[in-house]
Amino acid sequence: MRYWCGDESRVGLKTEAGRLITKKGVKPIGIMQWKRDNFYLYGLVEPLTGEYFIWEFSHLNTGCCINAG
């Protein structure tokens, strides 16, 4: 029997709001929206042997994990 541990993570850029000066109690309105580029990493490792697999996806859903195996 082999024991595997898995995890997934999204890696990429996101819009940074930064700081704007406004009156107290007034929420700032940001006019800049950067394009969001990201990808997902899904990995498995067997702690006993150190054997591992890593997959890279443009998105991550059930279909990706079923088709990757």
Side-chain angles (χ1 to χ4, degrees):
M1 180 185 296
R2 298 175 79 179
Y3 180 74
W4 291 87
C5 300
D7 197 11
E8 69 277 342
S9 181
R10 183 177 135 224
V11 181
L13 301 172
K14 66 176 188 164
T15 301
E16 294 179 9
R19 295 182 180 209
L20 299 173
I21 299 173
T22 63
K23 290 183 180 181
K24 187 174 182 175
V26 176
K27 289 190 173 191
I29 298 173
I31 57 174
M32 184 189 330
Q33 181 72 29
W34 298 342
K35 182 181 175 193
R36 298 181 81 159
D37 289 328
N38 59 63
F39 61 95
Y40 292 85
L41 293 175
Y42 183 79
L44 294 169
V45 65
E46 184 181 27
L48 188 61
T49 65
E51 186 178 353
Y52 65 92
F53 298 97
I54 297 176
W55 292 289
E56 182 181 325
F57 297 101
S58 60
H59 61 283
L60 188 63
N61 60 22
T62 305
C64 290
C65 293
I66 291 172
N67 293 330

